[in-house]
Amino acid sequence: MTVPPGHHRHTTPHRHHPPQSITAPTNFDRLRELEWLVGEWANEAATISVTLSCRWDKNRNFLVHDQTVTVGGKDAVTVTKYIGWDPVEGRIRSWVFDSEGGFGSGMWSRSGNVWTEEVEFRNRVGSDGSARNLWRFGDDTHFEWRAVDREVDGQPVADAAVKFVRKVSK
């Protein structure tokens, strides 16, 4: 058998090696910077109290955050938020649902100990709104949440702020 110039005669077939796998960070790895939120938090004022409970979901792909606002001893609204990693945007993203039928989503960024959540939402009657939520980490015992640049249907809404304190286990 004649072998053309520049080619070699092979006695065994070519073996194709599978590409080496590249281990990408998990969603848990991407969200660890927000792990300080995990736990039970409260702001209990005379007329309005806000409680927040945050936990990892079963597979640690999302932080699940339940919040209840109580006015005059009665639950006014509850909010459930899922915080996860958006691989297309390459950022942390959140999805929020409230007890009145409203829903929305937010994109997160971080600067130092402040996480900014740019939120857009729609309430149950179809009004659109937006806000910039600022989550300022204090330490393991407290953090501050502020909603600024708020508007509903293009009309400004007053800023809001809540200082949360970690509930101590009994």
Side-chain angles (χ1 to χ4, degrees):
M1 174 177 192
T2 307
V3 178
H7 287 78
H8 301 283
R9 185 178 208 156
H10 296 285
T11 56
T12 58
H14 284 308
R15 293 186 189 194
H16 296 285
H17 298 286
Q20 292 181 354
S21 65
I22 299 171
T23 305
T26 65
N27 290 354
F28 175 71
D29 295 332
R30 305 272 194 186
L31 296 172
R32 291 229 28 197
E33 68 184 81
L34 287 171
E35 192 170 33
W36 59 267
L37 276 169
V38 172
E40 304 295 320
W41 303 88
N43 174 302
E44 298 178 7
T47 57
I48 298 175
S49 75
V50 183
T51 58
L52 186 146
S53 174
C54 186
R55 62 180 163 58
W56 287 103
D57 77 328
K58 181 180 175 183
N59 295 317
R60 293 187 169 222
N61 283 311
F62 296 94
L63 286 166
V64 182
H65 158 253
D66 294 306
Q67 185 173 330
T68 301
V69 178
T70 305
V71 179
K74 297 183 180 183
D75 288 354
V77 66
T78 58
V79 175
T80 298
K81 181 180 293 195
Y82 284 80
I83 304 170
W85 178 255
D86 183 330
V88 173
E89 295 290 331
R91 294 173 65 184
I92 294 172
R93 169 172 263 182
S94 55
W95 298 266
V96 63
F97 307 91
D98 72 32
S99 60
E100 296 176 340
F103 59 90
S105 66
M107 297 301 288
W108 291 62
S109 60
R110 179 181 180 183
S111 178
N113 69 336
V114 178
W115 286 258
T116 300
E117 178 189 21
E118 301 285 344
V119 180
E120 293 183 355
F121 63 89
R122 180 164 294 146
N123 68 20
R124 69 177 179 82
V125 297
S127 295
D128 291 323
S130 62
R132 196 160 37 100
N133 294 335
L134 307 173
W135 302 79
R136 181 182 303 273
F137 173 76
D139 60 29
D140 288 340
T141 65
H142 72 282
F143 74 90
E144 180 181 345
W145 171 87
R146 292 180 45 222
V148 299
D149 302 328
R150 299 185 339 157
E151 62 177 52
V152 174
D153 286 338
Q155 299 301 310
V157 177
D159 291 351
V162 177
K163 292 183 180 180
F164 286 95
V165 175
R166 188 179 296 276
K167 290 183 178 182
V168 178
S169 301
K170 294 178 182 177

